[in-house]
Amino acid sequence: MTEKDFLPKNYENLPQKGTSTWKAPSNIALVKYWGKRPIQIPANPSISFTLDTCATTTTITFDKKKNTGDFSFELLFEGKPKEDFKPKIVTFFERVEAYLPFLKDYHFTIETSNSFPHSSGIASSASGMAALSLCLMDIEKMMVPEMDQTFFNTKASFLARLGSGSACRSVEGPLIEFGVHDHIPGSSDLFGVPYPFVVDEVFTTFQDTILLVHKGEKQVSSTVGHQLMHGHPYARNRFEQALQNMDALKPIFAHGDLEGFIKLVESEALILHAMMMTSMPYFMLMKPATLEIIHKIWKYREATKVPVCFTLDAGANVHLLYPDHVKERVHQFIDDQLAKHCENGHYIHDRVGLGAQKINS
Ligand code: PMV
């Protein structure tokens, strides 16, 4: 599919008013997307577990108005007006307007809230952009009722990508691939696709406990981080390595190879941060507690052989990944050894999920 396939034909009827609510989850990448070109085209393919508990719920209420050539909307975050989110929405609307030409025909009230605390250091852009895109697709579906579910999901993912690259992996689950890879049929730089190969059941029950090491704003945004991959001395090797890691995952997923999974996923996390530390200007998002936790995980795994590993996002928090059958033991390990490294002892238990849900009012 190309961009053109997402341009709608003329709408037959524009509803006067209505509402739509969607809940979209966050996701955690196993092979990371780091480096892009305009607009939100990834430098390498990535794959993520869709999460379940960490999610954004968004309601859009729309009212027909005279098209005056402007976007018209209000934004409420957790019930209160949120002016500083508005520029991001305007940029998003500008990017998607060609694909949703009804945007200037309505006044929108956008109400959004997260299941996780605002100051948790968990980025809400993936879940937020996915939820918003799904609401907008719902409105488009009212105008094009014959639209099928596959197109609905694909276009929602396409729109979400234009808001935040990784958001395109938050529409469906449990494993979503984003970015062209010659060996992955259907893969695209424009939207996420459900991973098309065999995945052993052990991976569909995976748990992700997010250890909240640092709840504040990070010093360097992922937008800036992506840009720093231009002219990065290791970029070319990194992009090549991501392609190879995507290939390496195929037998790992098929055979439920936990050892292979752990090696690949931890290596990907450290590479992401190595890219940050070796860009110019260089920066570091890990904190001392991030490293304390990583060392404790290695020591615990060595001693117990429990298949638990970590991954990192663009931040200091640690995602602890483990299969469901070792849940009790890992929870004990968290309480005994890891919680003390978290800000105020806080962590969030999440797990692999099946994707976004429409909420009926
Ligand atoms: O979606 P963005 O532009 O915020 O980039 C996300 C990048 C990482 O979270 C670090 C990796 C990934 O693939 O999710």
Side-chain angles (χ1 to χ4, degrees):
M1 283 179 100
T2 68
E3 273 108 339
K4 281 208 186 91
D5 296 310
F6 298 107
L7 293 169
K9 299 195 190 77
N10 282 345
Y11 301 125
E12 302 261 304
N13 57 342
L14 296 186
Q16 274 306 316
K17 57 182 173 181
T19 180
S20 167
T21 302
W22 277 83
K23 180 177 176 189
S26 186
N27 70 72
I28 181 68
L30 305 171
V31 172
K32 310 287 181 180
Y33 147 58
W34 199 241
K36 63 179 172 185
R37 54 195 167 78
I39 298 171
Q40 314 280 70
I41 300 298
N44 65 263
S46 58
I47 185 163
S48 53
F49 276 143
T50 304
L51 297 182
D52 185 52
T53 310
C54 289
T56 299
T57 301
T58 298
T59 298
I60 292 193
T61 310
F62 55 98
D63 246 303
K64 192 126 187 330
K65 68 166 183 73
K66 194 166 171 283
N67 187 332
T68 48
D70 289 319
F71 299 120
S72 167
F73 68 95
E74 290 153 70
L75 187 74
L76 300 174
F77 177 67
E78 273 150 23
K80 299 196 190 80
K82 188 85 181 158
E83 290 304 311
D84 48 334
F85 278 10
K86 279 184 143 181
K88 219 176 164 186
I89 304 286
V90 172
T91 306
F92 174 66
F93 277 1
E94 283 166 357
R95 285 185 187 167
V96 301
E97 191 192 355
Y99 307 102
L100 300 171
F102 59 82
L103 285 180
K104 287 178 176 161
D105 291 308
Y106 288 97
H107 174 76
F108 299 102
T109 304
I110 306 169
E111 294 170 75
T112 184
S113 61
N114 295 330
S115 64
F116 45 91
H118 181 45
S119 56
S120 59
I122 300 179
S124 59
S125 56
S127 51
M129 285 300 171
L132 181 59
S133 301
L134 284 155
C135 291
L136 293 170
M137 282 311 294
D138 236 6
I139 302 173
E140 183 169 58
K141 192 162 161 64
M142 292 174 203
M143 302 167 192
V144 189
E146 65 277 13
M147 184 188 298
D148 71 38
Q149 197 56 42
T150 306
F151 182 82
F152 181 97
N153 286 343
T154 309
K155 184 164 174 181
S157 173
F158 169 83
L159 298 173
R161 181 198 108 245
L162 290 167
S164 166
S166 58
C168 76
R169 301 188 312 236
S170 273
V171 172
E172 293 181 85
L175 264 174
I176 302 294
E177 196 275 348
F178 166 43
V180 168
H181 191 299
D182 287 347
H183 307 154
I184 302 182
S187 61
S188 170
D189 283 345
L190 302 180
F191 47 81
V193 292
Y195 187 64
F197 302 125
V198 178
V199 177
D200 187 278
E201 214 183 311
V202 74
F203 293 114
T204 58
T205 66
F206 247 64
Q207 308 290 307
D208 176 4
T209 299
I210 308 162
L211 302 164
L212 304 176
V213 166
H214 181 68
K215 300 190 192 176
E217 288 269 313
K218 53 191 181 201
Q219 315 99 295
V220 181
S221 70
S222 61
T223 310
V224 172
H226 280 290
Q227 293 316 320
L228 291 174
M229 287 303 279
H230 291 291
H232 190 295
Y234 306 131
R236 194 200 286 236
N237 282 353
R238 160 58 194 153
F239 301 147
E240 183 55 37
Q241 176 188 47
L243 290 168
Q244 290 167 7
N245 279 344
M246 294 297 293
D247 279 330
L249 271 176
K250 195 175 168 185
I252 290 175
F253 281 140
H255 304 134
D257 173 8
L258 290 171
E259 213 177 297
F261 178 84
I262 289 171
K263 271 195 202 142
L264 189 143
V265 166
E266 291 192 344
S267 159
E268 274 288 324
L270 294 178
I271 290 159
L272 170 69
H273 285 257
M275 289 300 114
M276 299 173 190
M277 290 191 261
T278 49
S279 60
M280 191 55 76
Y282 43 83
F283 62 106
M284 195 189 286
L285 298 181
M286 291 188 286
K287 300 277 178 197
T290 313
L291 298 183
E292 294 278 3
I293 291 171
I294 290 175
H295 283 286
K296 287 205 171 154
I297 295 167
W298 285 341
K299 208 165 154 197
Y300 176 80
R301 195 166 70 223
E302 178 69 36
T304 62
K305 309 292 175 224
V306 170
V308 53
C309 69
F310 70 87
T311 189
L312 305 166
D313 236 333
N317 295 338
V318 179
H319 288 248
L320 202 60
L321 301 177
Y322 48 99
D324 187 55
H325 68 264
V326 294
K327 192 164 144 181
E328 266 77 60
R329 293 183 73 181
V330 174
H331 286 189
Q332 195 62 53
F333 166 51
I334 295 168
D335 287 337
D336 292 347
Q337 298 195 47
L338 304 182
K340 58 170 165 275
H341 299 292
C342 300
E343 216 176 300
N344 306 320
H346 288 166
Y347 55 79
I348 298 173
H349 287 314
D350 206 335
R351 71 175 83 83
V352 171
L354 293 178
Q357 286 169 311
K358 184 174 161 73
I359 310 288
N360 294 314
S361 51

